[in-house]
Amino acid sequence: MSVKKLGLKQRYAHMTRGLDWETTYQPMDKVFPYDSFEGIKIKDWSAWEDPFRLTMDSYWKFQAEKERKLYAVIDAFAQNNGQTGITDGRYANVLKLFLTGISPEEYQAHRGFAFAGRHLRGVGPRVAAQMQSLDELRHIQTQIHTISHYNKYFDGIGEFPHMHDRVWYLSVPKSFFDDARSAGPFEFMIAIGFAFEYVLTNLLFVPFMSGAAYNGDMSTVTFGFSAQSDESRHMTLGIEVIKFLLEQHPDNLPIVQKWVDKWFWRGHRVLGLVAMMMDYMLPKPVMSWKEAWQIYYTEAGGALFQDLARYGLRPPKYADIATAEAEHISHQNWAIFYQYTHAAAFHTWAPDAKHMDWLSEKYPNTFDKYYRPRWEMWNQMAKEGKRFYNMALPQLCQCCQIPMGYTEPGDPTTICFRSSQYKGETYHFCSDGCKDIFDAEPEKFVQSWLPVHQIFQGNCGGATIPDVLNYYRLANGADNMDYVGSPDEKLWNEWQADKLKTAV
Amino acid sequence: MSVTAITPDYETHIEFRDAEKNFHGNRVVYVHWEQHLSFCSAIAFPLPPAMPFGAFVEEVIKPHYSAHPDAAHVDWSKVVWMIDGEKKTPDFSKSLEDNGLHHKSLVRFWTPGFEGYKGSAS
């Protein structure tokens, strides 16, 4: 007698909901202590819908197949010396930024979803969160394997986990995830699952993966494809979680709105690193940050929030400010790294005349007026042998931890200074968005580990630049400073010379 | 307590990480040269509160902004000062403390006639 196979839906029911039970030795509230303190009210956990209906056994099969394909491409890339076929040696710095600034956050996302996957009471979201947790772990692993090939040739790659915990600008993405992971499971799901993975994810992955494709980096492109089907599952989880919370109880709306406002702004600040990568670091640019923001936030996000309006949810507070900032942040961020190049784990450079013309065309309202003169001044100084460095440490925002280099909305010539008083001490912020986040939970943000203040307190290996670089494990003269004159550039030029010889 | 926390005594576990006592007798002072955004943000220094304001200008502000082409031409007697949001005329012979600087005070200054490289605020 043949055994009748289960349908997909039945199978899903058995392999997820069927594995759950009501505890009897201990009350459910004690087993799931984290899913009530945030004030979110859930009346019916079984109302959770998972459109993917993926079970763990098919998940393994599916992922294993993708891994086989990815590793075949990575091997072929290495065997064919794919690193010599990228557009320019400068491109490697995009990978350094990704591996030090983004990959460790995949790991943090893995930890965060593992926590949500343990502490949400409903089995549907719990299983979905567990799978996403495994995805994120797979992502950091495949990213390390993909980029490790470049580590054989380029500087600034090998110490990425150590750097993530210490280097001043990496505290920006680190503190973003630390904030999300030290919140409750529902806030984490809205922060990372919805705001980051749904609303903003295309502004992170599309630029890096298209940037790789445009610049001859086939291994990173393949990683991107391998992660793509995971990302679409993550987006589905993100949208499902927000709809679920809003449908469960009207009291959830103000809490969810507060989180959407907060995490949109925090995400926007972190993505400023992507903005400068797109506009300044890609030897062959894909599109400008402003264009990407228009497509992926203004248009796609606009449609999304129109759809969510039926729940009473409005678009994130300060979305208009973020849109206005799209004219400025890439220029302001790259200027920060240009003047602190001695403390960066990747190389910097000033845009040349051709690249500046591209920026003028992409930013007709702002580049020629505010940013071209800055680069022209710095290029002139460099020509005279007086390359511009900022030899003091920057004031940092207490919330996003970025140097306070952003300008007043509507006035690109004046820095935006905001501050709050809490228990007799002053705290400084780069924007109203960051100030609001602090004011809502000052107890949390007075604990920020601000790299500049930590150096002053004597906690970062010493008071001089070499002391601090040593503490960061940042190799002075190799990992940092301008691309021109770096060991990376020397190696790249040797490869080009070899190619010419071979051609002759 | 406004933070949303599972522990009711969260506040008793807070570490105020940047309290003045952690800076070995110094206070953090931020300073910013307005209309000169080639210096990307205000810059930060740990300074003794007894330091005279004049020494702050001579030994801290001037050397750190000297890379800018405008720096050599500034007439420091005409500089407009703002300390923590208020326009002030600091007494150069008095200390930072006597000039009203607290821990994490922000000192902004304008140099009339100098609006950055080619007047671009850079």
Side-chain angles (χ1 to χ4, degrees), chain A residues 33-34 37-39 182 187 258 332 335-336 339-340 369-371 373-374 376-378 380-381 388-396 398 403-407 411-415 417 422-423 425-428 439-444 446-450 452-454 456-458, chain B residues 1-7 10-11 13-24 26-46 60 63-70 84 102-108 110 116-122:
Chain A
Y34 284 92
F37 79 91
E38 295 172 275
S182 55
E187 183 176 348
K258 190 179 74 182
Q332 294 171 348
I336 292 173
Q339 64 197 267
Y340 288 114
K369 196 167 174 196
Y370 304 108
Y371 304 107
R374 207 163 294 172
E376 285 179 350
M377 170 183 149
W378 288 338
Q380 182 58 33
M381 290 173 81
F388 181 80
Y389 300 100
N390 191 334
M391 296 314 288
L393 303 184
Q395 179 184 29
L396 303 180
Q398 186 76 25
M404 293 207 1
Y406 301 122
T407 45
D411 179 5
T413 65
T414 304
I415 294 281
F417 290 104
Y422 180 68
K423 300 213 168 159
E425 195 173 321
T426 310
Y427 296 88
H428 298 271
D439 288 345
E441 293 188 305
E443 301 89 341
K444 192 169 189 178
V446 297
Q447 303 172 75
S448 296
W449 194 93
L450 296 182
V452 168
H453 292 169
Q454 290 300 312
F456 291 159
Q457 289 178 32
Chain B
M1 184 172 79
S2 48
V3 70
T4 309
I6 194 166
T7 41
Y10 182 96
E11 261 182 306
H13 299 287
I14 296 175
E15 186 186 348
F16 287 77
R17 213 174 286 273
D18 292 327
E20 191 177 337
K21 66 177 169 52
N22 296 346
F23 290 86
H24 316 289
N26 290 321
R27 281 178 186 173
V28 175
V29 175
Y30 307 108
V31 58
H32 179 61
W33 187 5
E34 294 289 335
Q35 304 295 304
H36 289 77
L37 290 175
S38 41
F39 295 91
C40 63
S41 67
I43 47 183
F45 300 95
V60 179
H64 283 97
Y65 285 117
S66 65
H68 197 284
D70 281 355
D84 293 329
H102 309 285
H103 179 47
K104 301 207 284 187
S105 273
L106 170 66
V107 178
R108 302 167 68 176
W110 284 257
Y117 180 73
K118 294 185 180 171
S120 69
S122 280

Side-chain angles (χ1 to χ4, degrees), chain A residues 97-394:
Chain A
L97 183 66
F98 191 88
L99 187 69
T100 54
I102 309 292
S103 300
E105 313 319 327
E106 303 271 16
Y107 184 76
Q108 293 234 58
H110 151 68
R111 300 301 304 147
F113 280 104
F115 172 78
R118 163 63 184 84
H119 287 291
L120 293 174
R121 195 167 307 209
V123 66
R126 217 161 67 226
V127 169
Q130 281 167 0
M131 280 180 201
Q132 183 157 352
S133 168
L134 291 169
D135 288 342
E136 306 292 3
L137 192 58
R138 190 177 86 86
H139 291 180
I140 184 175
Q141 179 171 285
T142 48
Q143 284 161 19
I144 292 167
H145 288 159
T146 305
I147 298 175
S148 73
H149 179 66
Y150 288 90
N151 184 43
K152 295 174 195 162
Y153 307 99
F154 295 99
D155 292 315
I157 296 176
E159 291 290 355
F160 75 94
H162 182 88
M163 285 179 176
H164 173 257
D165 290 350
R166 298 187 178 202
V167 173
W168 58 281
Y169 56 90
L170 298 176
S171 79
V172 175
K174 180 182 189 294
S175 64
F176 172 89
F177 264 93
D178 286 350
D179 184 0
R181 283 183 53 205
S182 55
F186 287 117
E187 183 176 348
F188 180 84
M189 294 295 279
I190 296 296
I192 307 303
F194 176 71
F196 207 64
E197 296 273 357
Y198 196 93
V199 184
L200 300 172
T201 192
N202 283 331
L203 286 160
L204 177 65
F205 274 92
V206 176
F208 273 105
M209 300 315 148
S210 315
Y214 269 55
N215 288 278
D217 178 10
M218 281 318 294
S219 55
T220 302
V221 174
T222 311
F223 156 73
F225 281 131
S226 172
Q228 204 169 37
S229 56
D230 299 345
E231 296 300 338
S232 54
R233 191 154 27 78
H234 300 173
M235 290 181 79
T236 311
L237 176 57
I239 195 73
E240 179 59 29
V241 79
I242 200 157
K243 287 183 175 172
F244 179 70
L245 295 190
L246 294 172
E247 279 166 5
Q248 282 293 316
H249 202 287
D251 290 356
N252 294 343
L253 177 63
I255 301 173
V256 170
Q257 183 75 59
K258 190 179 74 182
W259 290 337
V260 167
D261 292 348
K262 171 182 173 182
W263 289 99
F264 166 81
W265 188 257
R266 292 221 64 181
H268 162 63
R269 276 286 177 258
V270 169
L271 289 176
L273 288 172
V274 185
M276 73 171 200
M277 184 282 286
M278 290 183 82
D279 284 349
Y280 285 90
M281 295 177 76
L282 289 174
K284 198 173 166 195
V286 178
M287 61 167 83
S288 69
W289 171 254
K290 189 183 155 191
E291 288 168 321
W293 185 263
Q294 170 68 26
I295 296 168
Y296 297 115
Y297 183 74
T298 309
E299 289 167 19
L304 166 71
F305 284 103
Q306 223 162 24
D307 180 43
L308 291 172
R310 66 193 148 109
Y311 297 107
L313 199 76
R314 51 160 180 74
K317 197 176 177 187
Y318 303 125
D320 55 331
I321 305 281
T323 297
E325 281 190 357
E327 292 267 13
H328 303 281
I329 51 165
S330 68
H331 315 295
Q332 294 171 348
N333 280 349
W334 189 239
I336 292 173
F337 283 97
Y338 180 81
Q339 64 197 267
Y340 288 114
T341 186
H342 42 289
F346 54 85
H347 298 304
T348 56
W349 53 90
D352 60 17
K354 187 176 157 221
H355 193 85
M356 282 202 268
D357 289 346
W358 180 79
L359 290 166
S360 300
E361 181 200 319
K362 295 295 180 187
Y363 292 93
N365 306 325
T366 51
F367 186 75
D368 285 350
K369 196 167 174 196
Y370 304 108
Y371 304 107
R372 183 184 279 273
R374 207 163 294 172
W375 290 114
E376 285 179 350
M377 170 183 149
W378 288 338
N379 281 337
Q380 182 58 33
M381 290 173 81
K383 231 196 222 165
E384 292 165 7
K386 295 184 288 189
R387 202 277 193 200
F388 181 80
Y389 300 100
N390 191 334
M391 296 314 288
L393 303 184

